[in-house]
Amino acid sequence: MSALCLAIPGLCLPVLAGETPWQNVAPDVSIRLISAGPVTDGKALVALEIDMPESTKTYWRVPGETGLPLDLDFSASTGIAHYTPLWPYPLREEKGGLTDYVYYGHTVLPIELTMSGPQGVVDLTATLGICSEICVPAQLQLSLPLADAEPDAANGLRIRQALAEVPIAWTDKAAPVGGVEMLPEGPAIAIRLENDGIDPQSLIAATATGEPLFGAPQKSPHGDLVVLPILGKSDNIALDGVDVDVTFMTDMGAYVVSRTIGAGDDADEPGPEE
């Protein structure tokens, strides 16, 4: 069984799939919903497949300073108890002094569904930002039954390829990312690296809500520290005790660890976190 199957139970499902027709939402941009097959062990996988030029982009779960967030409304669906978007590792884009987290070109965004029965039907309204020369909020409605899907290896492969880029929770005790603390002279946080097995520039920090927004990693006088500035309004930021996900890239792919931000009484020496 693959590491992804172990890290996110229920994702390794049979390669049986269905799909909706493509919907055109902007010039040269079409979107459809694809399925990895019928309900298995109370779980199902679907994905938004976005066909767009390499010069066109959409946004990660934390869109950034200029981006538009993805909004998913499954309320009209039947047989679906819960849904969880599974976000592939994004590109950090810095233009005009502003930072966004984006996907360019053909993009597949998987969604894990927890089912309340075997005969579910997805009835989804999705709104997302699509940007080329201008940015538009694209809205579309997609409907797809999850029972009795026809075999379709191609759609199953598309979803598996996207899942391979979703950061995996780091489960080994010796994580390469240590403690995270506020910098008193901030507004910024400092992340300690426990070894040199990751690229410091690959670090992405994000809270559950996406607020505040953290920028690109910056060099620190201390070789094992990486500083991420807090962007936007920074007055009265109190992040000590707030959980933050730190995503990073290794030669084995993308991983994520959860850390609790410390108060940063001694910014030069953030302590490691077990």
Side-chain angles (χ1 to χ4, degrees):
M1 184 176 293
S2 71
L4 183 60
C5 297
L6 294 173
I8 313 178
L11 293 191
C12 296
L13 304 179
V15 184
L16 301 171
E19 62 192 41
T20 67
W22 290 101
Q23 291 190 29
N24 185 260
V25 297
D28 299 319
V29 179
S30 296
I31 301 176
R32 67 177 179 175
L33 188 70
I34 60 176
S35 168
V39 178
T40 302
D41 295 329
K43 302 286 186 180
L45 272 177
V46 297
L48 288 176
E49 183 178 7
I50 307 169
D51 185 22
M52 55 186 174
E54 292 299 321
S55 58
T56 302
K57 64 188 176 185
T58 190
Y59 296 93
W60 188 50
R61 75 167 185 89
V62 178
E65 293 181 278
T66 69
L68 300 173
L70 173 66
D71 180 72
L72 301 174
D73 182 358
F74 282 89
S75 61
S77 302
T78 58
I80 296 175
H82 184 69
Y83 69 91
T84 304
L86 303 171
W87 297 92
Y89 183 85
L91 170 70
R92 180 190 295 109
E93 182 174 68
E94 297 179 276
K95 287 186 176 180
L98 299 172
T99 299
D100 290 325
Y101 293 93
V102 303
Y103 304 105
Y104 271 97
H106 186 270
T107 299
V108 175
L109 300 177
I111 306 165
E112 183 186 33
L113 304 178
T114 300
M115 310 300 298
S116 57
Q119 302 295 320
V121 176
V122 174
D123 195 343
L124 168 65
T125 299
T127 304
L128 66 164
I130 300 292
C131 291
S132 53
E133 294 181 359
I134 60 172
C135 293
V136 297
Q139 186 175 76
L140 65 160
Q141 291 184 315
L142 301 160
S143 182
L144 185 67
L146 297 178
D148 302 322
E150 293 294 327
D152 188 333
N155 283 339
L157 177 60
R158 291 183 183 98
I159 293 179
R160 292 200 308 275
Q161 288 173 330
L163 288 173
E165 299 179 11
V166 174
I168 298 172
W170 187 281
T171 56
D172 292 344
K173 185 174 182 180
V177 173
V180 179
E181 293 192 359
M182 290 288 296
L183 286 180
E185 69 275 18
I189 58 173
I191 300 176
R192 181 180 294 281
L193 301 185
E194 298 297 341
N195 61 52
D196 58 1
I198 65 174
D199 177 6
Q201 290 302 309
S202 73
L203 290 173
I204 298 175
T207 63
T209 64
E211 296 292 339
L213 179 67
F214 299 100
Q218 299 177 355
K219 291 182 179 180
S220 165
H222 304 273
D224 59 349
L225 294 183
V226 180
V227 174
L228 275 65
I230 299 172
L231 305 179
K233 295 180 179 180
S234 57
D235 295 339
N236 300 320
I237 288 179
L239 289 178
D240 53 296
V242 172
D243 291 335
V244 62
D245 286 338
V246 181
T247 302
F248 54 94
M249 189 65 70
T250 74
D251 56 5
M252 299 180 294
Y255 287 84
V256 61
V257 295
S258 180
R259 294 289 181 261
T260 300
I261 300 175
D265 295 331
D266 186 352
D268 290 342
E269 295 293 337
E273 182 167 325
E274 296 296 332

